[in-house]
Amino acid sequence: MPGPLSHVRVLELSRVLAGPWAAQTLADLGADVIKVERPGAGDDTRAWGPPWAGEESAYFLSTNRGKRSITIDFERPEGQELVRKLAAQADVVIENFKVGGLVKYGLDYDSLKAINPGLVYCSITGFGQDGPYAKRAGYDFMIQGMGGLMSITGQPDTEAGGGPVKVGVAVTDVFTGLYATIGVLGALAHRDRTGEGQWVNLALLDVQVAVLANQAMNYLVGGKAPQRLGNAHPNIVPYQAFATLDGHIILAVGNDGQFAKFCQVAGRPELAQDPRYATNPARVANRKELVPILERLLEQRTSRDWLSALEAVGVPCGPINDVSQVFADPHVQARNIHQDLPHPTAGTVPTVASPIRYSATPIEHTVAPPTLGQHTDAVLGEALGLCAADIAALREKGVV
C-alpha cells in the first residue's frame, strides 16, 4: 500500500545523522528519497565501523533505510547541472552544509527556487543562518554542552562520579532530524494550499535549547539554573532509579495516589500520611529526608519482587535493560520493532522499525539502506532521460 508521502520526491544532499534521519523518516512515510553521495566515498558514516554488516557500517544502516543512492561529484560543473535537474523535479531538498556552502555550486535555496518555485528546501546547520556563531561547524556532542543538556545530565558535582555527561545517543541530531521532518511536512501542507515553496531552517543549538522542555521553564520561571540530579527528577519525587537486593529498578511515581500505593506495598503506609511527604510539592521540598528512607526500603527486596508487587497495584516502575535485553523483551518482540531487510551484498541487514503506526497507510519496511551509488544509472535514466552511453561518459570523467 502506498505511504502517505508516496507522491513526494526528496533530494538528499546531507550526510552523517540529522539530515539523513529526516530523510529516512520521510522515506518511511513513503517518499522517494534520492541520496546524493560523493563518488568513491559516500556518506561519512559508511566508514564509521565496526561493527559491519557485510561492507556496511551499522551507523550508516541506522539512518539510511528506504533510500536510493546515486553518486555525483557536484564540485564539477557537469555534476552541479545534474543535481539542478534533479532538484527541478523534486518536492524537497535536504542539505546540511555550512552556511553558504552550496552557493558556489549554484545549489543554494535562491538558485534552486529560481528553477523550482514550489521547492521545499530544508537546511540543517549547527547554529542557524544568522547570529554570531552562524559560520561555525556544529556537532552533537558540543551542542549538548553548549545547549545546557550536559549541565543537567550526570551525577551532582558533590557526589562520586559527579560532572557533566553527554547522553549515550546523539539526541540533538536525532531531535533536529525529527523537527526537520515536521518543518518539511508543514511546508508541504502550505505548498498544497498555495503552490508556494519555502526555505526551512534548522539549527542544532536552537533544537537543543527547545528540548530542554520543563528544565528550561524551570529556569525561566524560577530564575535558578537547574543542576544535575543523577537519575532523580527536578519536579517529581520519587521518580528515579533505586538499588534493590539484587540490582536496580526505576520507580516513577507520578501522583499522590501512586505514592500511597507504593507505601502500602513497602509496608510503610504512614509515610503517605506524613505531611512532609503526603503531596508531591512536599516530597520535592523534603527529598533529602525521604529518598534515604526509600533507599533503605527498596534494597530489602529483589527487583523481580518489587516489580511484580508494584505493577499489580498500578505503580509505574520498570527494569533497567541493556540493549540486548531490550530486543529480547517480549513486548518489543510483539511490536515487531526489530526487522530484517534484504540487502544486495550482505544478504539481510537488521533495522529498527519506525515507531509511527498508521491505520490506513501502514508503514512497510522493504528497502534496505543502499550500497554506494546503487541507483545511479536507474535514477539518471528514469529522472533525466540519460542513456547508458551518456552515463558511461559521465562515469569516465568521474562526474558520477
Side-chain angles (χ1 to χ4, degrees):
M1 180 176 294
L5 295 184
S6 59
H7 61 297
V8 172
R9 173 169 286 178
V10 177
L11 189 63
E12 184 195 334
L13 308 180
S14 67
R15 65 273 188 214
V16 186
L17 184 50
W21 196 266
Q24 176 174 264
T25 305
L26 295 171
D28 286 345
L29 300 183
D32 176 20
V33 178
I34 299 172
K35 183 179 181 72
V36 179
E37 302 188 70
R38 294 172 296 169
D43 190 309
D44 303 42
T45 63
R46 287 186 180 275
W48 287 10
W52 309 93
E55 297 180 355
E56 303 291 349
S57 74
Y59 200 117
F60 179 82
L61 294 175
S62 74
T63 190
N64 288 285
R65 173 183 60 231
K67 304 176 184 180
R68 296 194 284 173
S69 170
I70 66 173
T71 53
I72 298 178
D73 182 358
F74 54 74
E75 291 187 357
R76 296 169 178 259
E78 302 98 323
Q80 296 160 21
E81 184 60 23
L82 290 175
V83 176
R84 277 192 290 270
K85 288 180 178 178
L86 290 170
Q89 300 179 18
D91 299 286
V92 178
V93 166
I94 298 176
E95 61 92 6
N96 63 349
F97 284 74
K98 292 181 181 179
V99 172
L102 291 177
V103 173
K104 61 185 176 182
Y105 305 125
L107 300 177
D108 57 299
Y109 174 62
D110 287 337
S111 298
L112 296 185
K113 177 185 177 182
I115 61 175
N116 185 354
L119 183 67
V120 173
Y121 188 103
C122 180
S123 295
I124 298 173
T125 58
F127 298 97
Q129 301 295 315
D130 53 24
Y133 302 159
K135 297 293 184 181
R136 292 188 188 180
Y139 296 90
D140 178 275
F141 189 6
M142 59 183 283
I143 300 296
Q144 286 195 34
M146 294 181 71
L149 185 59
M150 292 174 65
S151 77
I152 56 174
T153 304
Q155 295 297 326
D157 292 337
T158 56
E159 296 185 9
V165 177
K166 72 177 179 68
V167 178
V169 171
V171 291
T172 307
D173 276 339
V174 171
F175 275 127
T176 302
L178 293 176
Y179 270 109
T181 303
I182 295 167
V184 165
L185 293 176
L188 287 172
H190 172 78
R191 191 193 67 175
D192 288 346
R193 293 195 310 274
T194 67
E196 176 187 35
Q198 61 181 301
W199 193 9
V200 183
N201 286 290
L202 278 296
L204 296 181
L205 184 60
D206 293 353
V207 169
Q208 178 52 70
V209 176
V211 299
L212 289 175
N214 61 298
Q215 291 283 39
M217 294 305 294
N218 287 345
Y219 166 70
L220 294 174
V221 172
K224 182 179 179 181
Q227 301 299 306
R228 287 183 290 276
L229 294 172
N231 287 315
H233 195 288
N235 304 107
I236 310 172
V237 174
Y239 197 99
Q240 64 186 78
F242 286 95
T244 66
L245 186 62
D246 61 350
H248 292 79
I249 66 167
I250 290 172
L251 182 62
V253 169
N255 58 53
D256 298 337
Q258 291 173 358
F259 182 66
K261 291 179 180 179
F262 165 78
C263 293
Q264 191 71 38
V265 170
R268 294 290 305 275
E270 74 279 3
L271 290 175
Q273 305 302 318
D274 190 318
R276 295 172 297 172
Y277 315 132
T279 66
N280 183 67
R283 292 193 294 274
V284 171
N286 295 289
R287 75 165 75 223
K288 289 184 179 179
E289 294 76 26
L290 177 59
V291 169
I293 295 173
L294 302 183
E295 288 175 336
R296 290 191 292 272
L297 290 171
L298 269 295
E299 65 187 8
Q300 295 175 15
R301 296 159 64 174
T302 66
S303 295
R304 177 176 293 183
D305 188 8
W306 278 116
L307 294 175
S308 176
L310 293 173
E311 288 171 2
V313 296
V315 176
C317 59
I320 300 175
N321 291 331
D322 65 24
V323 177
S324 67
Q325 292 170 321
V326 170
F327 285 101
D329 186 285
H331 188 82
V332 172
Q333 292 180 347
R335 298 287 290 172
N336 199 28
I337 295 174
H338 168 198
Q339 298 183 23
D340 291 309
L341 302 175
H343 189 272
T345 60
T348 62
V349 294
T351 195
V352 179
S354 170
I356 299 171
R357 305 298 170 98
Y358 286 117
S359 62
T361 56
I363 291 174
E364 297 180 350
H365 300 302
T366 58
V367 179
T371 58
L372 181 60
Q374 179 181 344
H375 305 96
T376 300
D377 290 19
V379 170
L380 294 182
E382 161 205 313
L384 303 186
L386 299 185
C387 67
D390 295 331
I391 297 171
L394 290 170
R395 187 167 280 116
E396 181 68 24
K397 294 179 181 178
V399 176
V400 301

